[in-house]
Amino acid sequence: MNSYLSAMRSFRDFTGRTSRGDYWRFILVYLGIAVIALMLDAAFATGNKDGGLFIGLVHLIHLVPQVAAGIRRMHDTDHSGWWLLLSPVALVFACFAGTPGVNRFGQPPMAGAVPVSIGTAPSVAAQSTPVAPVAPPQRDVIAEIERLAQLRTGGSLSETEFEVMKAQALSQARGA
């Protein structure tokens, strides 16, 4: 439900990225609401051959948030939002995993994350619980992963080889 609410609240944001999971959870909730609207149209006889009052309102309310989420989803796969104009192609792109790491559209999204501006202030109980700081990754590990990414982009490494070598670099860093 957080994915749906986050997408609805971010209806003005056509920049950045949306994870595959967040996008499809938003679509799933939207389709559920549409089914309920169709049932209401049938129950109250507000429908005709072109649609109904309730389903029309649902589509109208979700139009801009759905386009915004779709554009951010295209960005996550490192494609322009204009691909939404070619719906079958955009549907295929929306099923792809997002590009790992930073791409030309920004940082990778965190699945299920609600933007800071939307979240509420942490509770007192959450503030009093000590949390161990997470150590930043070592710079040489980051440089190694960036080097591997360049080799993958240049075609010297396949996606599988890249993932294996990245995992090895990260495990060595944890063991050090």
Side-chain angles (χ1 to χ4, degrees):
M1 193 64 157
N2 282 343
S3 300
Y4 172 79
L5 294 175
S6 177
M8 291 301 287
R9 290 178 182 143
S10 302
F11 72 95
R12 289 173 278 168
D13 185 11
F14 293 89
T15 61
R17 297 165 62 175
T18 295
S19 71
R20 180 171 45 179
D22 281 346
Y23 176 76
W24 288 111
R25 282 188 290 273
F26 166 71
I27 294 297
L28 184 64
V29 172
Y30 167 57
L31 290 175
I33 292 170
V35 167
I36 292 169
L38 287 170
M39 289 189 290
L40 289 172
D41 281 333
F44 294 112
T46 61
N48 59 30
K49 66 179 178 75
D50 296 324
L53 173 67
F54 293 106
I55 193 66
L57 287 173
V58 167
H59 289 318
L60 184 63
I61 290 168
H62 287 88
L63 179 65
V64 175
Q66 186 178 12
V67 170
I71 289 173
R72 290 191 308 269
R73 181 69 200 121
M74 293 298 102
H75 289 174
D76 191 42
T77 61
D78 204 20
H79 293 92
S80 169
W82 289 106
W83 281 103
L84 282 180
L85 295 175
L86 298 172
S87 295
V89 176
L91 180 63
V92 171
F93 288 158
C95 293
F96 288 169
T99 56
V102 178
N103 70 13
R104 61 189 168 138
F105 298 104
Q107 294 287 334
M110 295 187 313
V114 177
V116 175
S117 61
I118 296 171
T120 59
S123 66
V124 176
Q127 290 175 350
S128 65
T129 307
V131 176
V134 176
Q138 298 173 352
R139 182 66 199 150
D140 55 343
V141 174
I142 294 172
E144 176 66 14
I145 292 173
E146 288 174 344
R147 184 184 71 79
L148 292 171
Q150 288 174 347
L151 290 172
R152 179 190 60 190
T153 303
S156 299
L157 289 177
S158 70
E159 184 67 27
T160 306
E161 292 170 324
F162 170 75
E163 291 299 327
V164 168
M165 295 174 92
K166 180 176 84 172
Q168 288 173 346
L170 289 172
S171 67
Q172 288 174 356
R174 287 186 198 117

